[in-house]
């Protein structure tokens, strides 16, 4: 596969793993991650971060140790490193070292600076508006509940929205 195709496959695989995680299907997510990791001799730091996010990883856990070891080998100054830094912060948080956790949460936030591209966001919103027209919703009307009441599950991170979504 060409690099672009490989990147797209990896992105879709990550999204699928994330969907399994959010559905509390951790075993299936780990299995898919194992299959993705099997192709690599040395697991990538991103894969370690994903694996860590599936369970409450602590500093003493093998995945936690590998993530912390990656700090010596990786350049974490680029925006793409934000999720890994965030996960390292969570490892420290799960281990009760809140000062270190805050340090890595801050580094994660700093790495994200400049990631947001207003023009790209506006183009994406325009595409959504063009795609989901009143006609589309009318065509899909029979696909849902007969109720006229919409259900929106919104909230801040860690506020229970995932649990609410699963209950519904």
């Amino acid at each position: 596969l060409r690099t672009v195709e490989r990147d797209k496959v990896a992105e879709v695989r990550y999204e699928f793993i994330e969907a399994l995680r959010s559905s509390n299907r951790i075993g299936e997510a780990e299995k898919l991650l194992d299959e993705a990791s099997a192709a690599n001799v040395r697991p990538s730091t991103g894969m370690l971060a994903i694996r860590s996010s599936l369970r409450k990883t602590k500093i003493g856990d093998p995945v936690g140790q590998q993530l912390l070891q990656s700090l010596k080998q990786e350049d974490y100054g680029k925006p793409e490193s934000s999720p890994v830094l965030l996960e390292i912060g969570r490892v420290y948080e799960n281990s009760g070292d809140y000062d270190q956790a805050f340090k890595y949460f801050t580094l994660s936030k700093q790495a994200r600076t400049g990631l947001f591209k207003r023009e790209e966001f506006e183009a994406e919103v325009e595409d959504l508006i063009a795609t989901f027209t009143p006609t589309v919703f009318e065509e899909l009307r029979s696909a849902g509940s007969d109720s006229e009441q919409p259900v929106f599950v919104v909230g801040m991170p860690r506020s229970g929205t995932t649990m609410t979504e699963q209950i519904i």
Side-chain angles (χ1 to χ4, degrees), residues 138-158:
E138 191 58 42
E139 290 171 2
L140 294 173
R141 173 174 238 131
S142 63
S145 169
D146 290 339
S147 172
E148 293 289 323
Q149 297 295 316
V151 175
F152 294 93
V153 179
V154 296
M156 297 297 292
R158 319 268 316 154

Side-chain angles (χ1 to χ4, degrees), residues 34-165:
D34 288 342
E35 292 169 5
S37 300
N40 297 325
V41 176
R42 176 177 150 278
S44 73
T45 306
M47 286 187 178
L48 286 171
I50 294 167
R51 184 173 303 284
S52 176
S53 73
L54 295 175
R55 304 206 183 258
K56 282 198 165 208
T57 302
K58 295 185 178 183
I59 293 170
D61 298 340
V63 174
Q65 290 175 351
Q66 287 176 310
L67 264 177
L68 296 180
Q69 186 67 25
S70 76
L71 289 170
K72 299 174 186 171
Q73 302 163 350
E74 302 279 341
D75 171 21
Y76 285 117
K78 45 194 187 273
E80 304 82 45
S81 64
S82 179
V84 175
L85 292 167
L86 179 66
E87 194 54 41
I88 290 171
R90 287 183 183 141
V91 168
Y92 278 114
E93 180 184 29
N94 293 338
S95 301
D97 189 341
Y98 303 111
D99 290 337
Q100 282 294 93
F102 188 77
K103 172 186 168 184
Y104 284 98
F105 291 152
T106 302
L107 289 171
S108 173
K109 182 70 171 170
Q110 289 170 346
R112 288 187 59 80
T113 302
L115 257 182
F116 179 75
K117 306 266 189 291
R118 183 180 183 95
E119 297 80 23
E120 290 175 18
F121 177 74
E122 287 175 349
E124 187 176 336
V125 169
E126 290 301 321
D127 286 346
L128 288 171
I129 291 170
T131 301
F132 294 102
T133 63
T135 306
V136 169
F137 284 105
E138 191 58 42
E139 290 171 2
L140 294 173
R141 173 174 238 131
S142 63
S145 169
D146 290 339
S147 172
E148 293 289 323
Q149 297 295 316
V151 175
F152 294 93
V153 179
V154 296
M156 297 297 292
R158 319 268 316 154
S159 66
T161 51
T162 301
M163 181 177 69
T164 303
E165 177 187 17

